[in-house]
Amino acid sequence: MKIGIVLYPTFGGSGVVATELGKALARKGHEIHFITYSLPVRLDRLRENIYFHEVSVSDYPLFEHTPYEQVLTSKLVDVVKYENLDLLHCHYAIPHASAAYMAQQILKMQGIIIPFITTLHGTDITLVGKDPSFEPVITFSINQSTKVTAVSESLKRDTYNHFDVKREIDVIPNFICSQEYYLENNEKYKLRYAPNGELLVTHISNFRKVKRVGDVLEVFRGLLEKGVNAKLMLVGDGPERNKLERYCREWGICGKVMFLGSLKSTIEVLAISDLFILPSETESFGLAALEALASGVPVIASNTGGIPEVVEHGKSGYLSDVGNVSDMIENALKILSSNEALMEFKKAAKERSMKFDITNVLPLYEQLYEDAVAESRVIG
Ligand code: GMT
């Protein structure tokens, strides 16, 4: 099939999922056309069956803000028409789904039928979606999509609760390519970051408020106070970073905390980690937690949104109420209490992640694509 994938190219989870999905589909022989305003971060090199179409957003003297949705729509019309695409797959409702709808209508006038699928990722529904000014457009574009998917049951429920959507939403969970989560010689590599046998605790995010990275620091401080010999690796960057650096200085723990910045690949960091912390306020799925599990790293997380669909409490990690730092510390201590306990949790983490292996998830998308194309042929 010839598939256009519309995505955000940045470090956000939706962009990562969209890019990895496209790469996996391309490996299976589908022709993939990524359409967005800059090269997606995980599309690091030339690959067979993959094409990139840049939506160029130039500054027009007339506009204070360039109308991205219109430029994107024109690009979609162009790519569908000249690359003979079979369907568009939009990741994130705004503005991708509404642009796809507009492109669909323009192409219809020219006798071209193009179905489009919208995958809801979370912040488009739970945060941005709650802003009433977006509501009519999101509701409309969800209802007009040929097919709609959500990355968790929790997000599906949120969509029905917040929007006037009555149509079917398929849940297709996020995934990992498990064979990629393996690093040779990782013990040697670990010595660089933990030269005195420290346990490595990790957090990865875009450091926005919703991620509650301050809780990560508090849990880590709690572990140090309980005598755990550990270091903390913080991967990512964002608005909360200055505050975090200030806390580290005030609490005198700068020597134990490493700010590693936004990394294109997190596999190396996860491969040397012993514990992952994701204390988010809300999380439709928690791809970062799944990537940790895939590396055999148990997860301490908040019991919110789609996280309980990923992490099993007491097996591959522990879940606590949002903001309950002392419970998180207690749970982390249970995992780190002995080498045997840690090994057991690590094994369970890896096992849990296999449920979300790409080999289980890719056929669900392929089936959906076939259904969408068949349906649009009938309806026209
Ligand atoms: O979490 C973010 O800040 C990024 C955001 C995004 O839209 O890229 O992530 C959302 O989509 C991911 C991929 O489906 C999910 O794993 C994240 O849980 C979800 N984030 C939130 O719901 C806060």
Side-chain angles (χ1 to χ4, degrees), residues 8 10-18 91-92 119-124 126-127 151-152 155 173-174 205-208 210-211 278 280-289 306-307:
Y8 282 110
T10 51
F11 286 97
S14 67
V16 168
V17 170
H91 290 263
Y92 217 82
T119 289
L120 306 171
H121 279 276
T123 39
D124 41 359
T126 53
L127 291 181
V151 297
S152 65
L155 183 60
N174 287 331
S205 78
N206 49 21
F207 292 19
R208 285 185 300 127
V210 66
K211 302 292 173 181
L278 190 68
S280 308
E281 184 81 36
T282 163
E283 201 72 64
S284 68
F285 182 87
L287 182 65
I307 298 182

Side-chain angles (χ1 to χ4, degrees), residues 212-271:
R212 297 183 67 98
V213 195
D215 288 1
V216 176
L217 270 189
E218 283 197 47
V219 172
F220 179 67
R221 181 169 69 160
L223 292 178
L224 294 180
E225 283 168 2
K226 296 280 181 189
V228 177
N229 180 24
K231 278 184 147 185
L232 176 64
M233 298 193 287
L234 291 173
V235 179
D237 214 328
E240 295 287 284
R241 175 155 174 180
N242 286 348
K243 199 168 86 186
L244 299 169
E245 287 177 329
R246 207 180 61 234
Y247 285 161
C248 287
R249 283 179 218 124
E250 282 170 14
W251 299 347
I253 57 171
C254 291
K256 301 269 182 194
V257 181
M258 294 170 272
F259 285 87
L260 301 178
S262 298
L263 300 174
K264 274 193 178 172
S265 165
T266 52
I267 290 176
E268 292 78 9
V269 171
L270 290 171

